[in-house]
Amino acid sequence: SQKIEQNSEALNIQEGKTATLTCNYTNYSPAYLQWYRQDPGRGPVFLLLIRENEKEKRKERLKVTFDTTLKQSLFHITASQPADSATYLCALGGGGSYIPTFGRGTSLIVHP
Amino acid sequence: GAVVSQHPSRVICKSGTSVKIECRSLDFQATTMFWYRQFPKQSLMLMATSNEGSKATYEQGVEKDKFLINHASLTLSTLTVTSAHPEDSSFYICSAAPGLYQHEQYFGPGTRLTVT
């Protein structure tokens, strides 16, 4: 069955450092991958979408890579700030459905 | 742009009663709306997909008679949890897709339902 894996342990980093979050998947050939930010008690907020034929995408301090051979996406936040603290979800879509399937998310905590 | 609202944000109800949650797209017309539920530290689980004017498509394992979805217009969808039980307590989130490509979704802020 399709499986999306995100590290369940929180990632703790110091302000100013680069945060790197991982999304691995199995039994899936996604046409695209998305990253969302979710704050406690709130709905997810869309950040970035990367398609299967794209290796990397950037938006301000965010960078996403997509390796369909490794079946992995990396999500980077450079010059991280305490305000970046949140849970980050990856979602995969395609393979017959455009509706994405979500991972559990990884909590990021940026310490001042 | 692309704002989705949900009402109420929190609701507490007694077991056996019904609760209605509204989802509105405020500044765009939503071809499709989605309803998810999320348990603590779990992923979003898609419950159903609804298109304006037609019946909702429910995911496997979701009881359509318990979770009634009405997509009345291109800007409004409602989820009614009928005869709620404590195990229905969860975080319910809607999203709306403005176009044909359903991966472009905008999420509402969510509704915390507690059934006592």
Side-chain angles (χ1 to χ4, degrees):
Chain A
S1 61
Q2 296 172 346
K3 200 171 178 182
I4 302 172
E5 291 181 353
Q6 292 187 260
N7 198 337
S8 58
E9 287 185 22
L11 176 64
N12 286 272
I13 64 168
Q14 283 299 124
E15 182 176 10
K17 300 291 186 185
T18 296
T20 299
L21 304 175
T22 306
C23 177
N24 294 301
Y25 58 93
T26 55
N27 298 323
Y28 209 140
S29 295
Y32 67 88
L33 187 147
Q34 298 172 313
W35 283 90
Y36 290 80
R37 169 183 173 140
Q38 187 175 22
D39 290 284
R42 306 291 293 173
V45 174
F46 171 77
L47 297 175
L48 281 167
L49 179 148
I50 187 166
R51 299 186 188 280
E52 60 179 333
N53 59 347
E54 298 175 310
K55 296 280 188 197
E56 180 180 300
K57 204 152 210 186
R58 293 174 185 261
K59 180 183 175 183
E60 298 173 352
R61 293 185 296 113
L62 309 180
K63 184 178 88 170
V64 172
T65 62
F66 193 8
D67 189 327
T68 55
T69 301
L70 289 179
K71 296 186 182 296
Q72 180 182 79
S73 174
L74 298 178
F75 176 77
H76 306 273
I77 305 176
T78 58
S80 59
Q81 305 164 1
D84 295 327
S85 299
T87 295
Y88 291 87
L89 310 172
C90 75
L92 279 66
S97 170
Y98 275 102
I99 303 173
T101 302
F102 285 81
R104 290 188 179 186
T106 298
S107 174
L108 171 66
I109 303 168
V110 182
H111 299 276
Chain B
V3 178
V4 175
S5 70
Q6 270 184 253
H7 178 80
S9 57
R10 290 175 183 272
V11 58
I12 301 172
C13 71
K14 292 190 176 179
S15 189
T17 61
S18 295
V19 173
K20 180 186 280 189
I21 303 170
E22 287 188 353
C23 176
R24 292 180 186 273
S25 57
L26 298 184
D27 52 0
F28 66 97
Q29 292 188 327
T31 305
T32 310
M33 285 187 168
F34 305 88
W35 287 95
Y36 295 83
R37 67 188 294 183
Q38 186 179 35
F39 292 105
K41 297 192 185 298
Q42 299 296 312
S43 64
L44 276 75
M45 297 302 298
L46 180 66
M47 298 175 67
T49 304
S50 73
N51 293 292
E52 184 261 341
S54 60
K55 288 185 179 180
T57 301
Y58 289 82
E59 295 297 299
Q60 196 171 12
V62 177
E63 299 175 60
K64 59 180 69 175
D65 294 330
K66 181 168 187 60
F67 298 100
L68 301 178
I69 292 170
N70 182 18
H71 196 150
S73 73
L74 284 171
T75 59
L76 173 64
S77 176
T78 60
L79 167 68
T80 301
V81 183
T82 62
S83 186
H85 288 99
E87 57 266 30
D88 298 324
S89 299
S90 188
F91 192 51
Y92 292 87
I93 310 173
C94 73
S95 70
L100 295 176
Y101 298 102
Q102 296 171 338
H103 58 264
E104 185 183 350
Q105 297 182 51
Y106 299 94
F107 284 83
T111 297
R112 172 72 60 193
L113 170 64
T114 304
V115 185
T116 60

